[in-house]
Amino acid sequence: MRPILPAILGGCLLLLAACSRDTDTSCTPDPAVAKVAAPVQLTRLEKPFFQIRTTADAQRFLAEQPLFANQFLQRRQFPSDEVLAGTLTRLATNQGLQVLGRQTDSVFQDSGKLKAGLEGMFRHIRYNFPAFRVPPVQTFVSGLSQDMFVNDSLMVLGLDFFVGPTARYRPNVPEYILRRYRPEYVLPTAALAISSKYNRKELTNQTMLGEMVQYGKSLYFAERVLPCTADSLLIGYTDRELRGVYFNEGKIWAHFLDKKLLYNTAPFTVQKYVGERPNIPEIDKTCPGRIGAWVGWQMVRKYMAENPKVTLAQLMADKNPQHILNESHYRPRPRRAER
């Protein structure tokens, strides 16, 4: 019999089924960043959640965690707290979820390491965006219903998503996405989620170039706030895929130009290059999905290298992808063997 666990929010059952840039320089501690205060309030909710045995226990849990109940559990979508408490009780007492909870606790037992990583990321964000308010961070085992929740007042990490290949139950997604659900991807996923708060876009610009630059800005943001993180963890490519795209960067760029893709606005075509796919055979069967996002990232990197006075905040506020392309002077050329 195939094991299943109930999801919290959907009201349905879900199956719980480096090559990188040189980080020697980027990992050198910046004294200015080190002076920025970014204390993290980290609360592990797994233990009190799995102590729930009755609906009365669940109601006490909800009363003790009102922010979590209102925002992550979306309390108002339930007819009453009693209904929500009943759902939580069934989850907390589910044997399969308890197994996943123990595995999650084993993998993420070092709260100090997680907290230190979060503090480092938040410190870099506050250095670049002084008005940024560090949200309280809570961890939870959601029954694989939501991997991460982030807004200005709360961050919730669904750590059961990130246990890795040893987990009894894993997210029901394709393998090329599943490999990004490992412990080392928690912080990159969080950084990319936070980037959306600052990543401005001209809503009327639906071109391929606009989407490429938008994704590129997010990846560059993550790179800057997690300076010691390998490119493979930020983009989610294997080392082999990353070596391939760097080697064939000129060929990939030539494909976008030859096929006149940069100003294409057809949603289906745009998504073929920036959306989730195992590969992009239009370029080559070995070309990984989301290659448009990777090219956008290289474009943004080149733009920032060519314009060293531009701050991260100014980059993220720039809504003009054509300006970024023009000023980046991004012109990778195919190698002789690629032509």
Side-chain angles (χ1 to χ4, degrees), residues 44 68 75 87 100 115 133 158 202 224 250 328:
R44 302 293 299 267
F68 177 80
R75 176 187 236 155
T87 300
L100 184 57
K115 185 176 181 179
R133 295 176 59 184
E202 185 59 60
R224 288 285 296 272
S328 71

Side-chain angles (χ1 to χ4, degrees), residues 5-9 14 16 43-52 61 68 72-73 87-109 114 138-149 155-163 167-171:
L5 291 177
I8 291 178
L9 304 177
L14 292 179
L16 294 182
T43 306
R44 302 293 299 267
L45 295 182
E46 299 92 331
K47 183 176 180 179
F49 169 67
F50 283 113
Q51 289 176 340
I52 293 174
F61 176 83
F68 177 80
F72 184 76
L73 298 181
T87 300
L88 288 181
T89 303
R90 288 190 295 275
L91 283 168
T93 57
N94 181 284
Q95 292 184 356
L97 188 56
Q98 289 174 349
V99 169
L100 184 57
R102 289 191 291 271
Q103 291 182 314
T104 302
D105 182 65
S106 176
V107 172
F108 292 99
Q109 58 184 312
L114 177 60
Q138 299 176 333
T139 64
F140 192 58
V141 171
S142 71
L144 300 178
S145 68
Q146 188 168 356
D147 58 356
M148 195 159 296
F149 174 91
M155 171 182 283
V156 178
L157 308 178
L159 294 183
D160 50 332
F161 271 82
F162 298 92
V163 173
R168 171 84 62 90
Y169 308 108
R170 301 207 67 194

Side-chain angles (χ1 to χ4, degrees), residues 216-224 297 300-301 304 312 315:
K217 288 162 61 182
S218 287
L219 287 161
Y220 187 80
F221 175 96
E223 172 186 335
R224 288 285 296 272
W297 186 15
V300 169
R301 281 175 161 175
M304 294 300 281
L312 180 60
L315 168 70

Side-chain angles (χ1 to χ4, degrees), residues 26-72:
S26 59
C27 279
T28 303
D30 185 334
V33 175
K35 293 178 181 178
V36 176
V40 175
Q41 178 188 337
L42 177 63
T43 306
R44 302 293 299 267
L45 295 182
E46 299 92 331
K47 183 176 180 179
F49 169 67
F50 283 113
Q51 289 176 340
I52 293 174
R53 293 292 179 268
T54 66
T55 55
D57 294 338
Q59 287 177 321
R60 280 192 293 273
F61 176 83
L62 294 171
E64 292 168 357
Q65 306 295 337
L67 190 62
F68 177 80
N70 291 336
Q71 299 200 25
F72 184 76

Side-chain angles (χ1 to χ4, degrees), residues 148-222:
M148 195 159 296
F149 174 91
V150 183
N151 65 17
D152 289 342
S153 57
L154 179 66
M155 171 182 283
V156 178
L157 308 178
L159 294 183
D160 50 332
F161 271 82
F162 298 92
V163 173
T166 62
R168 171 84 62 90
Y169 308 108
R170 301 207 67 194
N172 187 21
V173 296
E175 178 60 34
Y176 67 93
I177 297 177
L178 189 63
R179 69 186 181 218
R180 305 203 295 265
Y181 282 123
R182 296 169 179 258
E184 59 268 30
Y185 284 94
V186 171
L187 292 180
T189 303
L192 290 169
I194 294 172
S195 74
S196 63
K197 173 180 173 66
Y198 301 104
N199 200 351
R200 299 291 179 258
K201 178 184 179 182
E202 185 59 60
L203 297 180
T204 58
N205 188 331
Q206 302 295 325
T207 64
M208 179 81 74
L209 176 62
E211 292 299 303
M212 292 167 68
V213 170
Q214 191 74 1
Y215 280 106
K217 288 162 61 182
S218 287
L219 287 161
Y220 187 80
F221 175 96

Side-chain angles (χ1 to χ4, degrees), residues 4 66-67 81 83 95-96 103 122 141 174 192 225 248 256 339:
I4 54 175
L67 190 62
D81 272 5
V83 174
Q95 292 184 356
Q103 291 182 314
F122 288 141
V141 171
L192 290 169
V225 303
N248 292 293
F256 281 92
R339 294 174 181 173

